[in-house]
Amino acid sequence: MTESSDGMRVGVVGIHEAGVRTLIGAMSGSATPATSGMRIWEDANLSFMAARPETVNLDDFDMLAVVVSARQGVPAELAPVWQAAMERGLASIIVVTHIDDSVVDLEEVCAMCQRVLSDGGDIFLPWLPILDDVESVCGFINLLSEEIVEWSDGGPVIHPSESRHQELIEETRAELCEAVMLAVEDDELFAMYMSGTLIDGEVIESQMFEQIARGLRHPVLGTGVRPHLLGIGLVLDTMAELEHSRRH
């Protein structure tokens, strides 16, 4: 595979033992840890390069993926590069590794990211974690489509959410939709939302990715190696959508 000049160059930044090399290997389609890699995913040409927070050159990348480990929390060393990326308006996401460990609270990790990396509201969870019978993360609920991607049956398997998930979804989904719609640049769409018109989830999702691409909003995405490559596809989906947004 050769690198395309119009591909998305992703700087993958984290401290020692955050799982950067394992993540790059998995995103590149390999079980072997790596410091760089490439992947064509959903018609997007993605390339990944590991970098240390104290030495990363943001001019080298189209996007920043900050890696934090659920085992370590959110190290202060990441704050300067994160703030530099925000000042540049660089598309930036947070990937949480090791969520396959027992008793991991992804929502608490997201709250820690808000405290350490930002003033708050623009860091968010687009996918809520769901737990299996032993309280381990086994899948995620897409807040906008309300679909579940689950690995507990050997997945990933996509299926609609059930009534027992509605309480979990409802309040968080409303907060995300409002945050996205209040920041849209399309005056007509904004007026429709403010008038009470029901906006389709796909439209809100498109606006959300446009805002992520402009560096205004930053999703937190969880990953693990058990079940097999838990969440890796969702990270690649996000990167591919951002590459598509960047093209247009």
CSV table of all heavy atoms in Angstrom, one decimal, residues 106-168:
chain,number,residue,atom,x,y,z
A,106,LEU,N,-16.0,4.4,31.8
A,106,LEU,CA,-15.6,5.2,30.7
A,106,LEU,C,-16.1,6.7,30.8
A,106,LEU,O,-15.5,7.6,30.4
A,106,LEU,CB,-16.1,4.6,29.4
A,106,LEU,CG,-15.6,5.3,28.1
A,106,LEU,CD1,-14.0,5.3,28.0
A,106,LEU,CD2,-16.1,4.6,26.8
A,107,GLU,N,-17.3,6.8,31.4
A,107,GLU,CA,-17.9,8.1,31.6
A,107,GLU,C,-17.0,8.9,32.6
A,107,GLU,O,-16.8,10.1,32.5
A,107,GLU,CB,-19.3,8.0,32.1
A,107,GLU,CG,-20.2,7.5,31.0
A,107,GLU,CD,-21.6,7.2,31.5
A,107,GLU,OE1,-22.4,8.1,31.5
A,107,GLU,OE2,-21.9,6.0,31.9
A,108,GLU,N,-16.4,8.2,33.6
A,108,GLU,CA,-15.6,8.9,34.6
A,108,GLU,C,-14.3,9.3,33.9
A,108,GLU,O,-13.7,10.4,34.1
A,108,GLU,CB,-15.3,8.0,35.8
A,108,GLU,CG,-14.2,8.6,36.8
A,108,GLU,CD,-14.6,10.0,37.3
A,108,GLU,OE1,-15.8,10.3,37.4
A,108,GLU,OE2,-13.7,10.7,37.6
A,109,VAL,N,-13.7,8.5,33.0
A,109,VAL,CA,-12.5,8.8,32.2
A,109,VAL,C,-12.8,10.1,31.4
A,109,VAL,O,-12.0,11.0,31.3
A,109,VAL,CB,-12.0,7.7,31.4
A,109,VAL,CG1,-10.8,8.1,30.6
A,109,VAL,CG2,-11.7,6.5,32.2
A,110,CYS,N,-14.0,10.1,30.8
A,110,CYS,CA,-14.4,11.3,30.0
A,110,CYS,C,-14.4,12.5,30.8
A,110,CYS,O,-13.9,13.6,30.4
A,110,CYS,CB,-15.7,11.1,29.3
A,110,CYS,SG,-16.3,12.4,28.3
A,111,ALA,N,-14.9,12.4,32.1
A,111,ALA,CA,-15.0,13.6,33.0
A,111,ALA,C,-13.6,14.0,33.4
A,111,ALA,O,-13.3,15.2,33.5
A,111,ALA,CB,-15.8,13.2,34.2
A,112,MET,N,-12.7,13.0,33.5
A,112,MET,CA,-11.3,13.4,33.8
A,112,MET,C,-10.6,14.1,32.7
A,112,MET,O,-9.9,15.1,32.8
A,112,MET,CB,-10.5,12.1,34.1
A,112,MET,CG,-10.9,11.4,35.4
A,112,MET,SD,-10.0,9.8,35.6
A,112,MET,CE,-8.3,10.3,35.7
A,113,CYS,N,-10.9,13.7,31.4
A,113,CYS,CA,-10.4,14.4,30.2
A,113,CYS,C,-10.9,15.8,30.2
A,113,CYS,O,-10.2,16.8,29.9
A,113,CYS,CB,-10.9,13.7,29.0
A,113,CYS,SG,-10.1,12.1,28.7
A,114,GLN,N,-12.2,16.1,30.6
A,114,GLN,CA,-12.7,17.4,30.6
A,114,GLN,C,-11.9,18.3,31.7
A,114,GLN,O,-11.7,19.4,31.4
A,114,GLN,CB,-14.2,17.4,31.0
A,114,GLN,CG,-15.1,16.8,29.9
A,114,GLN,CD,-16.5,16.6,30.3
A,114,GLN,OE1,-16.8,16.5,31.5
A,114,GLN,NE2,-17.4,16.5,29.4
A,115,ARG,N,-11.6,17.6,32.8
A,115,ARG,CA,-10.9,18.4,33.8
A,115,ARG,C,-9.4,18.7,33.5
A,115,ARG,O,-9.0,19.8,33.7
A,115,ARG,CB,-10.9,17.6,35.2
A,115,ARG,CG,-12.3,17.5,35.8
A,115,ARG,CD,-12.3,17.1,37.2
A,115,ARG,NE,-11.8,15.7,37.3
A,115,ARG,CZ,-12.5,14.6,37.3
A,115,ARG,NH1,-13.8,14.8,37.2
A,115,ARG,NH2,-12.0,13.4,37.5
A,116,VAL,N,-8.8,17.7,32.9
A,116,VAL,CA,-7.3,17.9,32.6
A,116,VAL,C,-7.0,18.6,31.3
A,116,VAL,O,-6.1,19.4,31.2
A,116,VAL,CB,-6.6,16.5,32.7
A,116,VAL,CG1,-5.1,16.6,32.3
A,116,VAL,CG2,-6.8,15.9,34.0
A,117,LEU,N,-7.8,18.3,30.3
A,117,LEU,CA,-7.5,18.7,28.9
A,117,LEU,C,-8.3,19.9,28.5
A,117,LEU,O,-7.9,20.5,27.5
A,117,LEU,CB,-7.7,17.6,27.9
A,117,LEU,CG,-6.9,16.3,28.2
A,117,LEU,CD1,-7.2,15.2,27.1
A,117,LEU,CD2,-5.4,16.6,28.2
A,118,SER,N,-9.4,20.2,29.1
A,118,SER,CA,-10.2,21.3,28.6
A,118,SER,C,-11.0,21.9,29.7
A,118,SER,O,-11.1,21.4,30.8
A,118,SER,CB,-11.1,20.7,27.5
A,118,SER,OG,-12.0,21.7,27.0
A,119,ASP,N,-11.8,22.9,29.3
A,119,ASP,CA,-12.7,23.6,30.3
A,119,ASP,C,-14.0,22.8,30.4
A,119,ASP,O,-14.8,23.2,31.2
A,119,ASP,CB,-12.9,25.0,29.9
A,119,ASP,CG,-11.7,25.9,30.0
A,119,ASP,OD1,-10.9,25.6,30.9
A,119,ASP,OD2,-11.5,26.8,29.2
A,120,GLY,N,-14.2,21.9,29.5
A,120,GLY,CA,-15.5,21.1,29.7
A,120,GLY,C,-16.2,20.7,28.4
A,120,GLY,O,-15.8,19.7,27.8
A,121,GLY,N,-17.2,21.5,28.0
A,121,GLY,CA,-18.3,21.0,27.2
A,121,GLY,C,-17.9,20.4,25.8
A,121,GLY,O,-18.7,19.7,25.3
A,122,ASP,N,-16.8,20.7,25.3
A,122,ASP,CA,-16.5,20.3,23.9
A,122,ASP,C,-15.9,18.9,23.9
A,122,ASP,O,-15.7,18.3,22.8
A,122,ASP,CB,-15.6,21.2,23.1
A,122,ASP,CG,-14.3,21.6,23.9
A,122,ASP,OD1,-14.1,21.1,25.0
A,122,ASP,OD2,-13.5,22.3,23.3
A,123,ILE,N,-15.6,18.3,25.0
A,123,ILE,CA,-15.2,16.9,25.1
A,123,ILE,C,-16.4,16.0,25.5
A,123,ILE,O,-17.1,16.3,26.5
A,123,ILE,CB,-14.1,16.7,26.1
A,123,ILE,CG1,-12.8,17.4,25.6
A,123,ILE,CG2,-13.8,15.2,26.4
A,123,ILE,CD1,-11.6,17.3,26.6
A,124,PHE,N,-16.7,15.0,24.7
A,124,PHE,CA,-18.0,14.3,25.0
A,124,PHE,C,-17.9,12.8,24.6
A,124,PHE,O,-17.0,12.4,23.8
A,124,PHE,CB,-19.1,14.9,24.2
A,124,PHE,CG,-19.0,14.7,22.7
A,124,PHE,CD1,-19.8,13.8,22.0
A,124,PHE,CD2,-18.1,15.4,21.9
A,124,PHE,CE1,-19.8,13.6,20.7
A,124,PHE,CE2,-18.0,15.2,20.6
A,124,PHE,CZ,-18.8,14.3,19.9
A,125,LEU,N,-18.8,12.0,25.0
A,125,LEU,CA,-19.0,10.6,24.7
A,125,LEU,C,-20.1,10.5,23.6
A,125,LEU,O,-21.2,10.6,23.9
A,125,LEU,CB,-19.3,9.8,25.9
A,125,LEU,CG,-18.2,9.3,26.8
A,125,LEU,CD1,-18.9,8.6,28.0
A,125,LEU,CD2,-17.3,8.3,26.1
A,126,PRO,N,-19.7,10.2,22.4
A,126,PRO,CA,-20.8,9.9,21.4
A,126,PRO,C,-21.4,8.5,21.4
A,126,PRO,O,-22.4,8.3,20.9
A,126,PRO,CB,-20.0,10.1,20.0
A,126,PRO,CG,-18.6,9.8,20.3
A,126,PRO,CD,-18.4,10.1,21.8
A,127,TRP,N,-20.6,7.6,22.1
A,127,TRP,CA,-21.0,6.2,22.2
A,127,TRP,C,-21.0,5.9,23.7
A,127,TRP,O,-20.0,6.0,24.4
A,127,TRP,CB,-20.1,5.3,21.5
A,127,TRP,CG,-20.0,5.4,20.0
A,127,TRP,CD1,-19.3,6.4,19.3
A,127,TRP,CD2,-20.7,4.6,19.1
A,127,TRP,NE1,-19.5,6.2,18.0
A,127,TRP,CE2,-20.3,5.1,17.8
A,127,TRP,CE3,-21.5,3.5,19.2
A,127,TRP,CZ2,-20.8,4.5,16.6
A,127,TRP,CZ3,-22.0,2.9,18.0
A,127,TRP,CH2,-21.6,3.4,16.7
A,128,LEU,N,-22.2,5.5,24.3
A,128,LEU,CA,-22.2,5.2,25.7
A,128,LEU,C,-21.8,3.7,25.8
A,128,LEU,O,-22.3,2.8,25.1
A,128,LEU,CB,-23.6,5.4,26.2
A,128,LEU,CG,-24.1,6.8,26.4
A,128,LEU,CD1,-25.5,6.8,27.1
A,128,LEU,CD2,-23.1,7.6,27.2
A,129,PRO,N,-21.0,3.4,26.8
A,129,PRO,CA,-20.6,1.9,27.0
A,129,PRO,C,-21.8,1.2,27.6
A,129,PRO,O,-22.6,1.7,28.4
A,129,PRO,CB,-19.5,2.0,28.0
A,129,PRO,CG,-19.7,3.3,28.7
A,129,PRO,CD,-20.3,4.3,27.8
A,130,ILE,N,-21.9,-0.1,27.3
A,130,ILE,CA,-22.8,-1.0,27.9
A,130,ILE,C,-22.0,-2.2,28.5
A,130,ILE,O,-20.9,-2.5,28.0
A,130,ILE,CB,-23.9,-1.6,27.0
A,130,ILE,CG1,-23.3,-2.2,25.7
A,130,ILE,CG2,-24.8,-0.5,26.5
A,130,ILE,CD1,-24.3,-2.9,24.8
A,131,LEU,N,-22.5,-2.8,29.6
A,131,LEU,CA,-21.7,-3.8,30.3
A,131,LEU,C,-22.4,-5.1,30.2
A,131,LEU,O,-23.6,-5.3,30.0
A,131,LEU,CB,-21.7,-3.4,31.8
A,131,LEU,CG,-21.2,-2.0,32.1
A,131,LEU,CD1,-21.2,-1.7,33.6
A,131,LEU,CD2,-19.8,-1.8,31.6
A,132,ASP,N,-21.6,-6.2,30.3
A,132,ASP,CA,-22.1,-7.5,30.3
A,132,ASP,C,-22.4,-8.0,31.8
A,132,ASP,O,-22.4,-7.2,32.7
A,132,ASP,CB,-21.1,-8.5,29.7
A,132,ASP,CG,-19.7,-8.5,30.4
A,132,ASP,OD1,-19.6,-8.1,31.5
A,132,ASP,OD2,-18.7,-9.0,29.7
A,133,ASP,N,-22.7,-9.3,31.9
A,133,ASP,CA,-23.1,-9.8,33.2
A,133,ASP,C,-22.0,-9.7,34.3
A,133,ASP,O,-22.4,-9.7,35.5
A,133,ASP,CB,-23.6,-11.2,33.1
A,133,ASP,CG,-24.8,-11.4,32.3
A,133,ASP,OD1,-25.5,-10.4,32.1
A,133,ASP,OD2,-25.0,-12.5,31.7
A,134,VAL,N,-20.8,-9.5,33.9
A,134,VAL,CA,-19.7,-9.4,34.9
A,134,VAL,C,-19.2,-8.0,35.0
A,134,VAL,O,-18.1,-7.7,35.5
A,134,VAL,CB,-18.5,-10.4,34.6
A,134,VAL,CG1,-19.0,-11.8,34.8
A,134,VAL,CG2,-17.9,-10.2,33.2
A,135,GLU,N,-20.0,-7.0,34.5
A,135,GLU,CA,-19.7,-5.6,34.6
A,135,GLU,C,-18.5,-5.1,33.8
A,135,GLU,O,-17.9,-4.1,34.1
A,135,GLU,CB,-19.5,-5.2,36.1
A,135,GLU,CG,-20.7,-5.4,37.0
A,135,GLU,CD,-21.9,-4.6,36.6
A,135,GLU,OE1,-21.8,-3.3,36.5
A,135,GLU,OE2,-23.0,-5.1,36.3
A,136,SER,N,-18.2,-5.9,32.7
A,136,SER,CA,-17.2,-5.4,31.8
A,136,SER,C,-17.8,-4.8,30.5
A,136,SER,O,-18.9,-5.2,30.1
A,136,SER,CB,-16.3,-6.6,31.4
A,136,SER,OG,-15.6,-7.1,32.5
A,137,VAL,N,-17.1,-3.9,29.9
A,137,VAL,CA,-17.6,-3.2,28.7
A,137,VAL,C,-17.7,-4.3,27.6
A,137,VAL,O,-16.7,-4.9,27.3
A,137,VAL,CB,-16.8,-2.0,28.3
A,137,VAL,CG1,-17.3,-1.4,27.0
A,137,VAL,CG2,-16.7,-1.0,29.4
A,138,CYS,N,-18.9,-4.4,27.0
A,138,CYS,CA,-19.0,-5.4,25.9
A,138,CYS,C,-19.5,-4.7,24.6
A,138,CYS,O,-19.6,-5.4,23.6
A,138,CYS,CB,-20.0,-6.5,26.3
A,138,CYS,SG,-21.7,-5.9,26.6
A,139,GLY,N,-19.8,-3.4,24.7
A,139,GLY,CA,-20.3,-2.8,23.5
A,139,GLY,C,-20.6,-1.3,23.8
A,139,GLY,O,-20.4,-0.8,24.9
A,140,PHE,N,-21.2,-0.6,22.8
A,140,PHE,CA,-21.5,0.8,22.9
A,140,PHE,C,-22.8,1.1,22.2
A,140,PHE,O,-23.2,0.5,21.2
A,140,PHE,CB,-20.4,1.6,22.2
A,140,PHE,CG,-19.0,1.4,22.7
A,140,PHE,CD1,-18.2,0.4,22.1
A,140,PHE,CD2,-18.5,2.1,23.7
A,140,PHE,CE1,-16.9,0.1,22.6
A,140,PHE,CE2,-17.2,1.8,24.2
A,140,PHE,CZ,-16.5,0.8,23.6
A,141,ILE,N,-23.5,2.1,22.7
A,141,ILE,CA,-24.7,2.6,22.1
A,141,ILE,C,-24.4,3.9,21.4
A,141,ILE,O,-23.9,4.9,22.0
A,141,ILE,CB,-25.8,2.9,23.2
A,141,ILE,CG1,-26.2,1.6,23.9
A,141,ILE,CG2,-27.1,3.5,22.5
A,141,ILE,CD1,-27.1,1.9,25.1
A,142,ASN,N,-24.8,4.0,20.1
A,142,ASN,CA,-24.6,5.3,19.4
A,142,ASN,C,-25.8,6.2,19.8
A,142,ASN,O,-27.0,5.9,19.6
A,142,ASN,CB,-24.7,5.0,17.9
A,142,ASN,CG,-24.5,6.2,17.0
A,142,ASN,OD1,-25.0,7.3,17.3
A,142,ASN,ND2,-23.9,6.0,15.9
A,143,LEU,N,-25.4,7.3,20.4
A,143,LEU,CA,-26.5,8.2,21.0
A,143,LEU,C,-27.4,8.8,19.9
A,143,LEU,O,-28.5,9.1,20.2
A,143,LEU,CB,-25.8,9.3,21.7
A,143,LEU,CG,-25.3,9.0,23.1
A,143,LEU,CD1,-24.5,10.1,23.8
A,143,LEU,CD2,-26.5,8.6,24.0
A,144,LEU,N,-26.9,9.0,18.7
A,144,LEU,CA,-27.7,9.6,17.6
A,144,LEU,C,-28.6,8.6,16.9
A,144,LEU,O,-29.7,8.9,16.6
A,144,LEU,CB,-26.8,10.4,16.7
A,144,LEU,CG,-26.1,11.6,17.4
A,144,LEU,CD1,-25.2,12.3,16.4
A,144,LEU,CD2,-27.1,12.6,18.0
A,145,SER,N,-28.0,7.5,16.5
A,145,SER,CA,-28.8,6.5,15.8
A,145,SER,C,-29.5,5.5,16.8
A,145,SER,O,-30.5,4.8,16.4
A,145,SER,CB,-27.9,5.6,14.9
A,145,SER,OG,-27.1,4.8,15.6
A,146,GLU,N,-29.1,5.5,18.0
A,146,GLU,CA,-29.6,4.6,19.1
A,146,GLU,C,-29.4,3.1,18.8
A,146,GLU,O,-30.1,2.2,19.3
A,146,GLU,CB,-31.1,4.9,19.4
A,146,GLU,CG,-31.3,6.3,19.9
A,146,GLU,CD,-32.7,6.6,20.3
A,146,GLU,OE1,-33.4,5.6,20.9
A,146,GLU,OE2,-33.2,7.7,20.2
A,147,GLU,N,-28.4,2.8,17.9
A,147,GLU,CA,-28.0,1.5,17.6
A,147,GLU,C,-26.9,1.0,18.6
A,147,GLU,O,-26.2,1.8,19.2
A,147,GLU,CB,-27.4,1.3,16.2
A,147,GLU,CG,-28.5,1.5,15.1
A,147,GLU,CD,-27.9,1.4,13.7
A,147,GLU,OE1,-26.7,1.8,13.5
A,147,GLU,OE2,-28.6,0.9,12.8
A,148,ILE,N,-26.8,-0.3,18.8
A,148,ILE,CA,-25.8,-0.9,19.7
A,148,ILE,C,-24.8,-1.6,18.8
A,148,ILE,O,-25.2,-2.4,17.9
A,148,ILE,CB,-26.5,-1.8,20.7
A,148,ILE,CG1,-27.2,-1.0,21.7
A,148,ILE,CG2,-25.4,-2.7,21.4
A,148,ILE,CD1,-28.0,-1.9,22.7
A,149,VAL,N,-23.5,-1.4,19.1
A,149,VAL,CA,-22.5,-2.3,18.5
A,149,VAL,C,-22.0,-3.1,19.7
A,149,VAL,O,-21.4,-2.6,20.7
A,149,VAL,CB,-21.3,-1.5,17.9
A,149,VAL,CG1,-20.3,-2.4,17.4
A,149,VAL,CG2,-21.9,-0.6,16.8
A,150,GLU,N,-22.1,-4.4,19.6
A,150,GLU,CA,-21.8,-5.3,20.8
A,150,GLU,C,-20.8,-6.4,20.4
A,150,GLU,O,-20.9,-6.9,19.3
A,150,GLU,CB,-23.1,-5.9,21.3
A,150,GLU,CG,-23.0,-6.6,22.6
A,150,GLU,CD,-24.4,-6.9,23.2
A,150,GLU,OE1,-25.4,-6.8,22.5
A,150,GLU,OE2,-24.4,-7.3,24.4
A,151,TRP,N,-19.9,-6.7,21.3
A,151,TRP,CA,-18.9,-7.7,21.0
A,151,TRP,C,-19.1,-9.0,21.9
A,151,TRP,O,-18.4,-9.9,21.8
A,151,TRP,CB,-17.5,-7.2,21.4
A,151,TRP,CG,-16.9,-6.3,20.3
A,151,TRP,CD1,-16.0,-6.7,19.4
A,151,TRP,CD2,-17.2,-5.0,20.0
A,151,TRP,NE1,-15.6,-5.7,18.6
A,151,TRP,CE2,-16.4,-4.6,19.0
A,151,TRP,CE3,-18.0,-4.0,20.6
A,151,TRP,CZ2,-16.4,-3.3,18.4
A,151,TRP,CZ3,-18.1,-2.7,20.1
A,151,TRP,CH2,-17.2,-2.4,19.0
A,152,SER,N,-20.2,-9.0,22.7
A,152,SER,CA,-20.3,-10.1,23.7
A,152,SER,C,-20.6,-11.4,23.0
A,152,SER,O,-20.4,-12.5,23.5
A,152,SER,CB,-21.5,-9.8,24.7
A,152,SER,OG,-22.7,-9.5,24.0
A,153,ASP,N,-21.1,-11.4,21.8
A,153,ASP,CA,-21.4,-12.6,21.0
A,153,ASP,C,-20.4,-12.9,19.9
A,153,ASP,O,-20.6,-13.5,18.9
A,153,ASP,CB,-22.8,-12.6,20.4
A,153,ASP,CG,-23.9,-12.5,21.4
A,153,ASP,OD1,-23.7,-13.2,22.5
A,153,ASP,OD2,-24.9,-11.9,21.2
A,154,GLY,N,-19.2,-12.3,20.1
A,154,GLY,CA,-18.1,-12.5,19.1
A,154,GLY,C,-18.1,-11.5,18.1
A,154,GLY,O,-17.3,-11.6,17.1
A,155,GLY,N,-18.8,-10.4,18.2
A,155,GLY,CA,-19.0,-9.3,17.3
A,155,GLY,C,-17.8,-8.8,16.6
A,155,GLY,O,-16.8,-9.4,16.4
A,156,PRO,N,-17.9,-7.5,16.1
A,156,PRO,CA,-19.0,-6.6,16.4
A,156,PRO,C,-20.3,-6.9,15.7
A,156,PRO,O,-20.3,-7.3,14.5
A,156,PRO,CB,-18.5,-5.3,16.0
A,156,PRO,CG,-17.5,-5.6,14.9
A,156,PRO,CD,-16.9,-6.9,15.3
A,157,VAL,N,-21.4,-6.8,16.4
A,157,VAL,CA,-22.7,-7.1,15.9
A,157,VAL,C,-23.5,-5.8,16.2
A,157,VAL,O,-23.5,-5.3,17.3
A,157,VAL,CB,-23.4,-8.3,16.6
A,157,VAL,CG1,-24.8,-8.4,16.1
A,157,VAL,CG2,-22.6,-9.6,16.3
A,158,ILE,N,-24.2,-5.3,15.1
A,158,ILE,CA,-25.0,-4.1,15.3
A,158,ILE,C,-26.5,-4.5,15.4
A,158,ILE,O,-27.0,-5.3,14.6
A,158,ILE,CB,-24.8,-3.2,14.1
A,158,ILE,CG1,-23.3,-2.8,14.0
A,158,ILE,CG2,-25.7,-1.9,14.2
A,158,ILE,CD1,-23.0,-1.9,12.7
A,159,HIS,N,-27.2,-3.9,16.4
A,159,HIS,CA,-28.6,-4.2,16.5
A,159,HIS,C,-29.3,-3.0,17.2
A,159,HIS,O,-28.6,-2.2,17.8
A,159,HIS,CB,-28.9,-5.5,17.3
A,159,HIS,CG,-28.2,-5.6,18.6
A,159,HIS,ND1,-28.8,-5.1,19.8
A,159,HIS,CD2,-27.0,-6.1,19.0
A,159,HIS,CE1,-28.0,-5.3,20.8
A,159,HIS,NE2,-26.9,-5.9,20.4
A,160,PRO,N,-30.6,-2.9,17.1
A,160,PRO,CA,-31.3,-1.7,17.7
A,160,PRO,C,-31.2,-1.8,19.2
A,160,PRO,O,-31.1,-2.9,19.8
A,160,PRO,CB,-32.7,-1.8,17.2
A,160,PRO,CG,-32.7,-2.8,16.0
A,160,PRO,CD,-31.5,-3.7,16.3
A,161,SER,N,-31.2,-0.6,19.8
A,161,SER,CA,-31.3,-0.6,21.3
A,161,SER,C,-32.6,-1.1,21.8
A,161,SER,O,-33.6,-1.1,21.0
A,161,SER,CB,-31.1,0.8,21.8
A,161,SER,OG,-32.0,1.7,21.3
A,162,GLU,N,-32.7,-1.5,23.0
A,162,GLU,CA,-33.9,-2.1,23.6
A,162,GLU,C,-34.5,-1.1,24.6
A,162,GLU,O,-33.9,-0.1,25.0
A,162,GLU,CB,-33.6,-3.4,24.3
A,162,GLU,CG,-33.0,-4.4,23.3
A,162,GLU,CD,-32.4,-5.6,24.0
A,162,GLU,OE1,-32.8,-5.8,25.2
A,162,GLU,OE2,-31.7,-6.4,23.4
A,163,SER,N,-35.7,-1.4,25.0
A,163,SER,CA,-36.4,-0.4,25.9
A,163,SER,C,-35.6,-0.2,27.2
A,163,SER,O,-35.7,0.9,27.8
A,163,SER,CB,-37.8,-1.0,26.3
A,163,SER,OG,-37.7,-2.3,26.8
A,164,ARG,N,-34.9,-1.2,27.7
A,164,ARG,CA,-34.1,-1.1,28.9
A,164,ARG,C,-33.0,-0.1,28.8
A,164,ARG,O,-32.4,0.3,29.8
A,164,ARG,CB,-33.6,-2.5,29.4
A,164,ARG,CG,-32.7,-3.1,28.4
A,164,ARG,CD,-32.4,-4.6,28.7
A,164,ARG,NE,-31.7,-5.3,27.7
A,164,ARG,CZ,-30.3,-5.5,27.8
A,164,ARG,NH1,-29.7,-5.0,28.8
A,164,ARG,NH2,-29.7,-6.1,26.8
A,165,HIS,N,-32.6,0.2,27.5
A,165,HIS,CA,-31.5,1.2,27.3
A,165,HIS,C,-32.0,2.6,27.2
A,165,HIS,O,-31.2,3.6,27.2
A,165,HIS,CB,-30.8,0.9,26.0
A,165,HIS,CG,-30.2,-0.5,26.0
A,165,HIS,ND1,-30.4,-1.4,25.1
A,165,HIS,CD2,-29.2,-1.1,26.9
A,165,HIS,CE1,-29.7,-2.5,25.3
A,165,HIS,NE2,-29.0,-2.3,26.4
A,166,GLN,N,-33.4,2.8,27.2
A,166,GLN,CA,-33.9,4.2,26.8
A,166,GLN,C,-33.5,5.2,27.9
A,166,GLN,O,-33.2,6.3,27.6
A,166,GLN,CB,-35.4,4.1,26.6
A,166,GLN,CG,-35.8,3.5,25.3
A,166,GLN,CD,-35.0,4.1,24.1
A,166,GLN,OE1,-35.1,5.3,23.9
A,166,GLN,NE2,-34.3,3.3,23.4
A,167,GLU,N,-33.6,4.8,29.2
A,167,GLU,CA,-33.3,5.7,30.2
A,167,GLU,C,-31.8,6.2,30.2
A,167,GLU,O,-31.5,7.3,30.4
A,167,GLU,CB,-33.6,5.1,31.6
A,167,GLU,CG,-33.4,6.1,32.8
A,167,GLU,CD,-33.7,5.5,34.1
A,167,GLU,OE1,-34.4,4.4,34.1
A,167,GLU,OE2,-33.4,6.1,35.1
A,168,LEU,N,-31.0,5.2,29.8
A,168,LEU,CA,-29.5,5.5,29.7
A,168,LEU,C,-29.3,6.5,28.5
A,168,LEU,O,-28.5,7.4,28.6
A,168,LEU,CB,-28.8,4.2,29.4
A,168,LEU,CG,-27.3,4.3,29.2
A,168,LEU,CD1,-26.6,4.8,30.4
A,168,LEU,CD2,-26.7,2.9,28.8
